[in-house]
């Protein structure tokens, strides 16, 4: 009788082992990708506890420094702030982590062009403030990022125009572009509940009507006074 039930238990055990293997394997590949990302930084000493044999998250508790964890133990973002980091930001490898929604590299020493955020279409927040990023940001870089709520690029050396694709982010609530070298006119933002800051750039022209309720200090340093033209 006992020998008749054994095959059933064997199947269960094999099934369970397979499941465990699959779980461990998927975690392991995320770990590998994050370690690859780390190796693209010049000076990742602050990330010393990012180790291949330790999971980044224990459920929603972060184990690795600067990791944001979800309840199910997946990685929902990186918060690598105030770490003196520089080097390149490997967006290709980050785009292979399907659960990432937030990236912060604020208050470091990154330079060069903006990381290509369009590679992670589901991002809800990108924080690059207080670095040395520079160069023109392509107009469509935010195209289709319908979940984007917060874009903070302040205090870098960005040039060129404010990317028009920002005006299409329907749930954007916080846009910080101040203290850069952006030029040209501010495009037409019409999102309700959006807070912006464009101060201290090389912007010119009028303030778009959709931004008339913003704090005037958000436009400090604009070449022409707002609302000098007829309003209609
Ligand atoms: C990166 O930061 C380190 C110090 O953490 C510094 O020695 C190095 O010059 C920096 N490199 C660049 C390209 O800024
Ligand atoms: C960056 O540094 C400034 C000044 O040191 C500080 O006020 C700010 O909170 C920091 N921001 C982040 C995101 O850590
Ligand atoms: C940006 O670069 C300048 C030199 O070009 C340097 O003095 C400054 O400390 C850098 N800022 C950051 C946040 O790395």
């Amino acid at each position: 009788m006992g020998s008749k039930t054994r095959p059933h238990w064997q199947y269960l055990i094999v099934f369970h082992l397979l499941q465990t293997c699959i779980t461990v394997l998927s975690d392991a590949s995320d770990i590998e990708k994050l370690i690859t990302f780390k190796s693209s930084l010049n000076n990742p000493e602050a990330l010393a506890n990012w180790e291949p044999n330790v999971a980044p998250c224990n459920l929603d508790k972060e184990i690795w420094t600067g990791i944001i964890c979800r309840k199910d133990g997946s990685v929902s973002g990186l918060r690598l702030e105030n770490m003196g980091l520089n080097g390149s930001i490997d967006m290709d490898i980050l785009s292979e982590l399907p659960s990432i929604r937030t990236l912060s590299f604020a208050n470091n020493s990154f330079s060069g062009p903006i990381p290509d955020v369009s590679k992670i279409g589901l991002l809800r927040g990108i924080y690059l403030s207080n670095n040395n990023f520079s160069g023109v940001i392509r107009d469509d870089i935010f195209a289709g990022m319908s979940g984007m709520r917060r874009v903070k690029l302040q205090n870098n050396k960005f040039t060129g125009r404010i990317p028009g694709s920002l005006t299409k982010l329907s749930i954007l609530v916080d846009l910080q572009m101040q203290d850069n070298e952006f030029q040209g006119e501010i495009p037409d933002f019409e999102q309700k509940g959006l807070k912006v800051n464009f101060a201290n750039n090389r912007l010119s022209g009028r303030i778009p009507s959709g931004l008339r309720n913003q704090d005037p200090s958000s436009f400090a340093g604009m070449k022409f006074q707002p609302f000098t033209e007829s309003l209609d």
Side-chain angles (χ1 to χ4, degrees), residues 27-231:
D27 283 352
S29 83
D30 280 6
I31 291 174
E32 207 171 281
K33 285 164 191 163
L34 287 164
I35 298 277
T36 303
F37 164 76
K38 173 182 165 181
S39 69
S40 71
L41 304 173
N42 285 343
N43 48 349
E45 292 80 24
L47 309 182
N49 68 1
W50 288 34
E51 299 209 50
N53 55 346
V54 179
C57 298
N58 180 3
L59 302 180
D60 63 354
K61 183 173 181 296
E62 68 173 79
I63 305 298
W64 290 7
T65 303
I67 294 280
I68 308 171
C69 300
R70 260 203 210 96
K71 279 189 192 139
D72 67 0
S74 61
V75 175
S76 69
L78 301 182
R79 190 183 286 134
L80 306 181
E81 297 168 352
N82 302 297
M83 294 178 177
L85 299 173
N86 61 31
S88 66
I89 292 176
D90 186 343
M91 291 299 281
D92 287 315
I93 199 79
L94 292 181
S95 73
E96 292 177 21
L97 293 162
S99 53
I100 295 252
R101 297 292 179 273
T102 309
L103 289 176
S104 178
F105 303 106
N107 285 15
N108 284 292
S109 295
F110 288 104
S111 54
I114 188 170
D116 190 355
V117 295
S118 71
K119 290 186 171 162
I120 309 184
L122 295 174
L123 273 186
R124 293 183 192 147
I126 179 80
Y127 303 76
L128 302 176
S129 43
N130 304 331
N131 280 282
N132 263 333
F133 288 109
S134 61
V136 173
I137 303 178
R138 68 169 212 273
D139 193 66
D140 66 351
I141 193 167
F142 296 103
M145 302 183 79
S146 57
M148 187 64 94
R149 293 175 62 77
R150 296 177 206 281
V151 175
K152 303 200 179 193
L153 307 184
Q154 73 266 32
N155 205 11
N156 281 286
K157 292 174 180 157
F158 289 118
T159 53
R161 292 184 171 262
I162 305 285
S165 49
L166 286 166
T167 65
K168 304 286 195 303
L169 302 177
S170 59
I171 61 169
L172 189 66
V173 292
D174 195 359
L175 177 62
Q176 307 283 321
M177 306 293 266
Q178 67 272 26
D179 302 302
N180 278 288
E181 295 165 25
F182 289 113
Q183 294 179 20
E185 297 192 4
I186 299 176
D188 286 331
F189 286 87
E190 283 167 0
Q191 297 98 323
K192 301 267 180 284
L194 171 63
K195 180 141 186 334
V196 300
N197 194 336
F198 291 108
N200 306 319
N201 281 287
R202 297 177 186 169
L203 296 163
S204 56
R206 52 181 283 282
I207 294 175
S209 57
L211 298 179
R212 277 180 198 159
N213 296 327
Q214 304 283 322
D215 188 318
S217 68
S218 299
F219 304 99
M222 274 183 72
K223 275 190 199 138
F224 303 121
Q225 281 305 304
F227 312 133
T228 48
E229 299 159 49
S230 109
L231 293 180

